[in-house]
Amino acid sequence: MAEIAAQPFAFGFKPETTALIVIDMQRDFAEPGGFGASLGNDVSRVVAIVPTVKRLIDGFRAAGLPVIHTMECHRPDLSDLPPAKRDRGNPSIRIGDMGPMGRLLIAGEPGTAILDELAPLPGEIVIEKPGKGAFYATSLSNDLKWIGARQLVFAGVTTEVCVQTTMREANDRGYECLVAEDATESYFPEFKAAALAMIRAQGAIVGWTATTDQVLEGIA
Ligand code: TIU
């Protein structure tokens, strides 16, 4: 068993059963005019982690380990968008409405794309997900079984929404989960800190946390 120095204690993993999941590093969460900004958020915090996420992705690729990307998005006819999600909050424009980068959070629209710097390579798994969690209504469970993954490293946005929801889903499905602390971000620094703290509390009740350097050192 290899190890990543982590909190609350070392994360044991087998390289051959470990994958990276990069959550929702899309223009819609990182650029003005996207979904995140429509909710009133300052998106600059998301932009700031892009180089770190890239370093993590590059490390997994260099080690020959799988990189999986997710995208929060909906069908153009909105048939997978529950009114409870569309009507949430008091946004300036809603999911499916036309914005400066196309229709918000709709598959195939320019704003829904993964940021150019973090674009998936041909052959990497890309999960389009209608929920906050990446397991709900997607092929992720089957994909992870197919590649034989048992340990999952997480990066992406936002820490307390889609990253944490997916980690909790993965934890309940028997995966050992670690989130890279500096390769995830929230629009609310206090929510990020709280999410990381609650993930690793109680003896890693939901998972482990480590820096990108610690992860890269562990998988090298
Ligand atoms: N990807 C993700 O976290 N979706 C969100 O809607 N996050 C918010 O923090 N709004």
Side-chain angles (χ1 to χ4, degrees):
M1 200 65 123
E3 278 189 356
I4 294 171
Q7 293 192 63
F9 43 78
F11 179 76
F13 72 103
K14 289 187 187 165
E16 64 272 23
T17 58
T18 300
L20 173 65
I21 302 189
V22 183
I23 303 284
D24 301 358
M25 288 302 292
Q26 299 163 248
R27 297 182 67 198
D28 254 319
F29 294 104
E31 295 188 16
F35 176 63
S38 82
L39 299 172
N41 295 308
D42 169 10
V43 294
S44 61
R45 299 185 61 81
V46 173
V47 177
I49 64 163
V50 171
T52 309
V53 178
K54 174 89 170 79
R55 225 156 46 79
L56 191 58
I57 291 174
D58 287 346
F60 270 73
R61 286 174 179 158
L65 303 181
V67 178
I68 297 169
H69 309 257
T70 72
M71 305 169 69
E72 183 173 347
C73 62
H74 295 273
R75 297 181 195 132
D77 66 2
L78 307 185
S79 58
D80 60 355
L81 175 62
K85 182 174 180 184
R86 182 170 152 83
D87 296 344
R88 192 69 55 81
N90 188 24
S92 46
I93 54 174
R94 294 182 185 279
I95 297 172
D97 291 346
M98 188 59 74
M101 298 189 288
R103 295 178 68 200
L104 281 196
L105 283 196
I106 298 299
E109 296 288 332
T112 307
I114 291 173
L115 295 167
D116 280 347
E117 304 93 307
L118 307 178
L121 290 182
E124 289 180 346
I125 295 168
V126 180
I127 301 288
E128 295 191 352
K129 63 184 186 58
K132 302 304 184 193
F135 286 85
Y136 170 68
T138 74
S139 62
L140 183 58
S141 271
N142 278 339
D143 293 329
L144 292 175
K145 283 200 182 100
W146 183 250
I147 65 174
R150 300 298 320 147
Q151 291 90 26
L152 304 176
V153 174
F154 286 90
V157 295
T158 59
T159 316
E160 80 282 11
V161 183
C162 291
V163 176
Q164 185 174 209
T165 302
T166 303
M167 277 186 82
R168 288 176 181 275
E169 289 181 323
N171 190 61
D172 285 347
R173 285 164 174 79
Y175 294 95
E176 283 144 352
C177 299
L178 179 148
V179 60
E181 296 158 14
D182 48 352
T184 183
E185 195 47 270
S186 168
Y187 299 121
F188 306 88
E190 67 276 24
F191 290 175
K192 172 180 173 175
L196 295 178
M198 68 178 79
I199 283 166
R200 64 185 172 230
Q202 306 182 66
I205 191 83
V206 177
W208 286 251
T209 77
T211 65
T212 293
D213 282 344
Q214 288 172 322
V215 174
L216 293 176
E217 213 167 286
I219 65 167

